[in-house]
Amino acid sequence: MKKLLLVVLAMCLAFALVSCSKGEGKPGSIAAIKKAGKIRMLTNATYPPYEYVKGNGFDGLDIALGKLIAEKLGVQLEIIDMNFDLLIDAVNTDKGDFIAAGMSVTEERKKIVEFT
């Protein structure tokens, strides 16, 4: 089971890194993230077991994925918890580098954000 989880996380990491690669030096690009020394994950921490508040921090599968991505990039993870309805606008206006939240793919959303 642990091995399966690691495989799934590794696949998610690969897809997430592709979604972050917006172009060399542009906001949200791998180069910009490494230069800033942090990657900003937008979420709505109200959806256990994927993302939720635990004590003074956050926990869940999406949080673990964010930590893994940050570790692989050699940067810090900044988790930004916000209203679910604001997530897409926030990532599209560079308030975060990627979204990790229980978000369904819809035709309307696919027009304004990339899914992995």
Side-chain angles (χ1 to χ4, degrees), residues 42 82-91 99:
L42 303 173
M82 62 175 45
N83 182 298
F84 185 84
D85 294 333
L86 302 177
L87 291 170
I88 291 176
D89 286 339
V91 79
I99 297 169

Side-chain angles (χ1 to χ4, degrees), residues 88 92 106-115:
I88 291 176
N92 282 334
T106 67
E107 290 304 314
E108 183 180 328
R109 288 178 180 155
K110 285 185 350 183
K111 292 175 185 174
I112 54 177
V113 72
E114 294 178 22
F115 284 88

Side-chain angles (χ1 to χ4, degrees), residues 2-89:
K2 192 173 187 179
K3 200 173 202 179
L4 176 62
L5 179 60
L6 289 175
V7 170
V8 170
L9 285 175
M11 289 172 47
C12 290
L13 171 65
F15 287 120
L17 292 178
V18 168
S19 70
C20 288
S21 60
K22 298 178 183 175
E24 203 63 32
K26 292 183 180 177
S29 70
I30 299 296
I33 290 165
K34 286 187 173 189
K35 183 177 179 181
K38 68 179 177 180
I39 187 166
R40 301 165 298 159
M41 181 180 109
L42 303 173
T43 194
N44 177 247
T46 61
Y47 196 59
Y50 300 101
E51 57 272 330
Y52 57 95
V53 176
K54 183 177 182 182
N56 291 331
F58 301 96
D59 203 357
L61 296 172
D62 287 341
I63 305 304
L65 175 62
K67 289 178 181 178
L68 182 63
I69 292 169
E71 180 183 320
K72 294 296 181 184
L73 290 175
V75 298
Q76 295 295 312
L77 175 66
E78 179 182 347
I79 300 169
I80 304 168
D81 186 25
M82 62 175 45
N83 182 298
F84 185 84
D85 294 333
L86 302 177
L87 291 170
I88 291 176
D89 286 339

